[in-house]
Amino acid sequence: MDGRNSSKSIVSLFLFLLILLSVSNFSSAQIIAPEGPGIEWEKPDSHRLFLKGDTGSPYLDNNWSSLTGQPIGSVDFQKTAGSVNLIDIQSAPLEEDVDFNGNITIHLFASLDVANDGCRFTNVLPGSPLGSETKFSVSLSLGTTQLLSDAQTNSVVMEESFTLAHEFTVDANNVNVSLMKGDLIGLKIDVLHDCAQTGVLWWDTYDATTGIEFKGELIHPELDETVDSNGIIRVEFTPNSPWGNDLYISQVLEVIGPVEWEDLIHGNSDEDTRIDHFETPHGYRIDELNRTVLTWTSPNQLLPGKYMVDSCYKLSDQDPGDSCNLVGVLRFEVFESEPALMNGSWAAILIPLGIISWIGVSMKDAMLPLPAYGVILLLALTTLGPALSLPDIATEEPRMEGAAPSFSLYEHGVDSGVVEFSELMSNYDAIVIGLFTPSSPNAEVQRVDFEIAKKVMGDDVAFIQIATGEGVNSLDLEELVDKINGSWPVLLDNKDSTTGKSFPSRASDAVFVIDSAGFISSWKAGTMSSQSIEDAVDSSYLGSGENPLDIFGLILTTTFLPILILAMPRGKYKLPESPLIPGAGVALTVYAAGVGFSIWALPVSLMASFGLGSYWIYIELLLSLLLVYHGFSMLLRGGVKEIEIIGKYIYSRLPEDYRNWRKETNFLDDVHLGLWVAWLFWLRVPSAIPQAIGSVARSGIFGILRDGNIIDVMLLIICIIFFIGYALMAGIVVVISRAAISLPGDISRIMGSLSVGLRPRAWGLACIILGIWVSISIIVGPIMMMF
């Protein structure tokens, strides 16, 4: 007996598991895993127009009432000899064109005004003069189409009050009609009531949904996304509806990812994959069809991968008990940015290969000791650091480290004119630029932040906003310009977004603070708070954080590694024959290297101080070509002629005791090393010197010309101190390099003396490649972008 029960239990359990497995497989089969990008909508099966209002003024709208007490709307009717008209109304004009293909049902809810069975008791012979039934006659017009004309509903012997009202319906099947914007929907209701008791047609409560039901597709919402070059997503939703945007009560949108396509299903996401959550729109815009578009922008950056915008909408004509009446899932993919034509790693390969090839060619003429070639190979390896910090060679690639791009754009507005970047630089201590793309809600956020910051900083700082990106339309700017009310200009970018693409953010939402020398002091994608703007402007007056200690801070990086090899001694160190002040050797090295650094830095600083920032991209091109020239000079003759002339003159002005002790060749070596520190520092941080010196100088000059207070004089003094500090730091880098390379003792001296003629020439070849690389990156990138 127990065995049979056990067997039955096992069989029952097996059958139960089999049923569960079948249900699970069936459920899984219902969910079709997505295979790629696209959009899917889960729309309601039907939409409604409800009879609303009171007895004296009924109307049609699409708001499902949530009232559960006595209906707000009703109309009484009595027993008459024939039908009596109760309702004859039209809807508001349609707000969009619509093609409807489906079925239509008219729902009417009616009952007696007393809760008794009087009509049922008097219904002696249903359907005859001795009956007590009630029915309605309905006429329905859609635009110019008369769809129903006195169509009869079902007949009912009414018995209850409004709490249990009877439903009367009439159908129109296989409807295929096109309605135009402005068309009206007409509804006419007549009643034939054979009962002596008063009847009532009810509406405007949760369970008395008297009105018109459209069974078919009636709305065509649009959901779209745009991911800019910074990985910032903008989501747009166009709430298309014949009844207008009021049909859409609320919405919830979530950005999900990155995950695989098969996991991008509505409601199927983990918390850690939710990147952002949207509800109240961040902004609005009007599209080319004069439709309102809701917009959202995420502050979070999307990495390459597969994503979806999972959206849920509550509609006014659907059951209020349902929280999600319309579902839209937009799947998309964020791709890796297009690779550059060549990146810095290629330069790191070309320089050693070039030096090795040059060594191979030179060995045909004369052989040097093998240790000398080992030093050159070591020099080639040390160039990997500077090479890897080079900019990529890529088309339409902005200069990431440098001055702000110059522009000349038209202002939007009645009194529009051309706004020149160079003129802004000449008239203001700093410039705050807000880039925004069409319909971006960040434009309004920028406006508010600018307005607050402008009140604090006054008229010495210029504020402008630039509309950039694809689809820039002056109509989108009207509301923004009205709110700004002339406080600052709103500019329209060129058709191909040349100006926007020239900024480090490219043609996307961002805020830039530009110092008085025309260099980017600070920038942030999207928006920047008013306090951050104030802090960045204040920082720009003192070089935006750039200072001489930056050179010293790079000693522990790979930036100055070539200086170690170039600083190898020529021969054995000799003590001075006559007494000199302590530390004379260090002081001479710092002085000589500072001179070499200043020969490069002085003209660069002066050009920045004279306000040439708007032409800086061309100045950087000239600097890169100058580096090529210096490289050829080193390769062909082992030194730069101009540097030697200046170095020899300064050497001749030294006291005789110092000249007797320190040879001219050693002094010139230190001058050249200072020059190479300047070039390597420029390759690593191109804007450091011109920004630190130029912006501080111009801030002081502007202030002295404007009001001449002590603060402006202090700024000019700080500018001079900065310049001396940079030269001093360059000398310290050379001193540290010489001390570090001398630690091996005789090994370093021997290696240095064996390669004394080879090192400068090999370094010259490296400089040629570095200079050509930078010049090509500037020409192919920012300069070609301008044309």
Side-chain angles (χ1 to χ4, degrees):
M1 186 69 177
D2 292 339
R4 288 196 299 271
N5 290 338
S6 177
S7 300
K8 289 181 179 179
S9 299
I10 294 174
V11 172
S12 300
L13 178 62
F14 178 75
L15 291 175
F16 177 73
L17 291 175
L18 185 62
I19 292 172
L20 282 180
L21 183 62
S22 301
V23 171
S24 174
N25 290 337
F26 177 77
S27 301
S28 301
Q30 306 308 304
I31 302 176
I32 302 176
E35 298 180 353
I39 186 167
E40 293 179 3
W41 290 100
E42 295 179 17
K43 299 180 181 180
D45 296 331
S46 64
H47 292 274
R48 298 197 179 204
L49 275 178
F50 301 98
L51 186 59
K52 306 299 284 289
D54 55 28
T55 304
S57 56
Y59 61 90
L60 292 171
D61 80 359
N62 54 12
N63 293 315
W64 192 317
S65 177
S66 59
L67 180 67
T68 57
Q70 182 169 347
I72 296 174
S74 63
V75 59
D76 298 345
F77 48 85
Q78 303 290 335
K79 179 178 176 66
T80 60
S83 62
V84 176
N85 179 253
L86 300 180
I87 300 292
D88 193 356
I89 56 175
Q90 290 182 317
S91 69
L94 299 185
E95 297 193 16
E96 290 184 10
D97 298 347
V98 60
D99 293 327
F100 178 73
N101 188 359
N103 302 322
I104 296 177
T105 298
I106 310 297
H107 297 269
L108 306 176
F109 289 83
S111 66
L112 302 178
D113 64 350
V114 290
N116 61 46
D117 295 339
C119 288
R120 181 169 62 85
F121 293 143
T122 58
N123 188 31
V124 179
L125 189 59
S128 71
L130 298 178
S132 297
E133 295 179 330
T134 302
K135 63 181 177 181
F136 295 90
S137 177
V138 178
S139 297
L140 176 66
S141 62
L142 303 181
T144 59
T145 303
Q146 188 66 42
L147 195 62
L148 295 175
S149 181
D150 295 327
Q152 302 293 312
T153 68
N154 52 309
S155 297
V156 175
V157 178
M158 296 193 299
E159 301 178 1
E160 297 91 0
S161 66
F162 71 87
T163 58
L164 292 172
H166 300 277
E167 182 178 11
F168 298 81
T169 62
V170 62
D171 296 320
N173 297 320
N174 300 320
V175 177
N176 191 348
V177 63
S178 295
L179 299 175
M180 305 296 291
K181 180 179 180 180
D183 281 349
L184 305 176
I185 296 177
L187 178 65
K188 179 173 174 289
I189 302 174
D190 297 336
V191 65
L192 182 61
H193 182 56
D194 290 336
C195 180
Q197 290 183 307
T198 301
V200 182
L201 178 67
W202 305 101
W203 66 82
D204 213 357
T205 189
Y206 179 83
D207 52 356
T209 54
T210 295
I212 309 168
E213 180 181 11
F214 298 84
K215 300 176 181 178
E217 191 169 6
L218 198 63
I219 61 174
H220 301 277
E222 297 177 10
L223 184 64
D224 197 9
E225 53 76 28
T226 302
V227 180
D228 66 21
S229 54
N230 293 316
I232 303 300
I233 183 174
R234 185 172 77 247
V235 180
E236 293 189 347
F237 173 65
T238 307
N240 298 334
S241 162
W243 327 129
N245 296 343
D246 292 341
L247 176 67
Y248 299 83
I249 301 175
S250 62
Q251 58 280 318
V252 175
L253 298 87
E254 291 184 327
V255 181
I256 309 296
V259 295
E260 295 304 316
W261 291 124
E262 57 267 19
D263 297 322
L264 295 176
I265 300 172
H266 170 66
N268 180 34
S269 60
D270 297 328
E271 188 64 33
D272 57 353
T273 63
R274 293 192 179 107
I275 296 174
D276 218 326
H277 178 97
F278 302 135
E279 291 189 25
T280 303
H282 296 163
Y284 303 87
R285 75 175 180 90
I286 305 300
D287 67 5
E288 60 279 1
L289 299 178
N290 201 34
R291 301 178 301 183
T292 299
V293 180
L294 284 59
T295 61
W296 295 266
T297 297
S298 172
N300 302 310
Q301 184 180 28
L302 302 188
L303 301 175
K306 303 174 181 66
Y307 296 84
M308 75 171 173
V309 177
D310 191 3
S311 59
C312 175
Y313 309 86
K314 190 171 180 60
L315 306 181
S316 64
D317 67 346
Q318 302 299 311
D319 191 333
D322 297 335
S323 60
C324 188
N325 311 125
L326 172 68
V327 173
V329 177
L330 174 61
R331 302 180 185 89
F332 61 96
E333 186 170 1
V334 177
F335 296 96
E336 296 276 0
S337 57
E338 292 187 8
L341 299 177
M342 297 182 73
N343 56 40
S345 59
W346 281 100
I349 296 173
L350 290 175
I351 293 176
L353 284 179
I355 292 176
I356 293 172
S357 300
W358 173 74
I359 292 175
V361 173
S362 64
M363 290 175 66
K364 294 180 180 179
D365 299 328
M367 282 286 296
L368 294 175
L370 290 179
Y373 294 113
V375 172
I376 303 308
L377 291 176
L378 188 59
L379 176 62
L381 292 177
T382 60
T383 60
L384 296 178
L388 290 174
S389 65
L390 291 175
D392 293 339
I393 296 178
T395 57
E396 296 191 351
E397 183 76 11
R399 183 77 162 141
M400 303 304 290
E401 294 283 347
S406 182
F407 57 80
S408 177
L409 299 174
Y410 280 97
E411 179 182 357
H412 177 73
V414 178
D415 301 325
S416 61
V418 177
V419 175
E420 301 274 355
F421 178 69
S422 56
E423 291 184 7
L424 293 172
M425 282 183 54
S426 302
N427 298 323
Y428 295 95
D429 288 347
I431 307 167
V432 182
I433 299 176
L435 294 181
F436 64 92
T437 50
S439 76
S440 172
N442 284 327
E444 173 63 15
V445 180
Q446 291 175 4
R447 182 194 69 81
V448 174
D449 290 331
F450 285 12
E451 192 174 68
I452 297 173
K454 185 175 177 61
K455 291 178 181 178
V456 176
M457 291 183 286
D459 297 330
D460 297 337
V461 178
F463 289 83
I464 61 172
Q465 286 183 273
I466 303 176
T468 186
E470 296 182 5
V472 173
N473 189 338
S474 59
L475 295 177
D476 295 335
L477 308 181
E478 296 292 344
E479 184 177 355
L480 178 66
V481 172
D482 289 342
K483 291 181 179 180
I484 293 173
N485 195 26
S487 297
W488 59 80
V490 177
L491 311 182
L492 279 170
D493 200 355
N494 302 313
K495 186 177 181 181
D496 53 357
S497 306
T498 302
T499 299
K501 292 178 180 178
S502 300
F503 279 91
S505 67
R506 299 172 178 85
S508 61
D509 298 346
V511 175
F512 294 84
V513 176
I514 315 299
D515 63 26
S516 57
F519 291 85
I520 297 174
S521 174
S522 177
W523 76 277
K524 187 175 183 294
T527 62
M528 183 184 292
S529 69
S530 59
Q531 185 60 54
S532 297
I533 293 173
E534 294 171 34
D535 294 341
V537 170
D538 291 340
S539 176
S540 71
Y541 298 148
L542 292 173
S544 303
E546 305 288 356
N547 61 75
L549 292 176
D550 293 338
I551 292 183
F552 191 77
L554 293 175
I555 289 179
L556 297 178
T557 68
T558 58
T559 301
F560 298 129
L561 281 180
I563 301 297
L564 279 174
I565 308 303
L566 295 173
M568 282 183 170
R570 283 176 172 265
K572 189 175 181 180
Y573 177 78
K574 295 182 180 180
L575 294 173
E577 296 179 357
S578 57
L580 299 176
I581 61 173
V586 172
L588 274 178
T589 299
V590 170
Y591 177 60
V595 168
F597 183 90
S598 300
I599 292 173
W600 182 93
L602 182 60
V604 171
S605 301
L606 290 175
M607 285 187 290
S609 300
F610 290 155
L612 299 181
S614 56
Y615 309 101
W616 203 254
I617 193 65
Y618 299 105
I619 292 175
E620 288 199 306
L621 177 60
L622 292 176
L623 287 175
S624 64
L625 296 176
L626 179 63
L627 177 59
V628 175
Y629 162 69
H630 283 178
F632 272 111
S633 294
M634 296 297 294
L635 179 63
L636 298 177
R637 56 187 308 277
V640 180
K641 185 66 175 177
E642 295 79 4
I643 302 300
E644 291 176 350
I645 293 173
I646 297 173
K648 287 178 180 180
Y649 173 77
I650 294 176
Y651 178 79
S652 67
R653 312 299 295 178
L654 293 175
E656 185 176 356
D657 290 342
Y658 288 90
R659 285 186 279 118
N660 289 336
W661 171 52
R662 179 68 65 87
K663 291 183 180 180
E664 183 181 75
T665 53
N666 292 330
F667 185 84
L668 292 179
D669 284 346
D670 289 337
V671 174
H672 278 93
L673 286 174
L675 176 67
W676 305 134
V677 169
W679 277 121
L680 290 171
F681 187 54
W682 177 73
L683 289 172
R684 181 64 178 264
V685 194
S687 62
I689 299 294
Q691 189 166 20
I693 307 299
S695 62
V696 176
R698 287 183 65 78
S699 297
I701 292 171
F702 279 148
I704 290 176
L705 294 177
R706 187 168 52 245
D707 38 37
N709 57 39
I710 188 64
I711 295 178
D712 304 311
V713 176
M714 290 290 293
L715 285 174
L716 287 178
I717 295 174
I718 291 173
C719 171
I720 296 172
I721 293 175
F722 271 17
F723 185 85
I724 295 173
Y726 273 114
L728 180 63
M729 288 296 107
I732 292 176
V733 168
V734 174
V735 169
I736 293 175
S737 299
R738 283 204 178 278
I741 200 64
S742 298
L743 290 177
D746 290 342
I747 296 177
S748 175
R749 178 182 57 78
I750 295 171
M751 299 287 281
S753 60
L754 290 175
S755 60
V756 67
L758 201 58
R759 275 179 291 131
R761 298 178 187 276
W763 174 244
L765 179 59
C767 288
I768 292 172
I769 298 175
L770 290 170
I772 291 176
W773 184 281
V774 175
S775 62
I776 293 176
S777 71
I778 292 175
I779 293 172
V780 173
I783 291 183
M784 285 188 63
M785 196 184 303
M786 300 177 185
F787 301 99

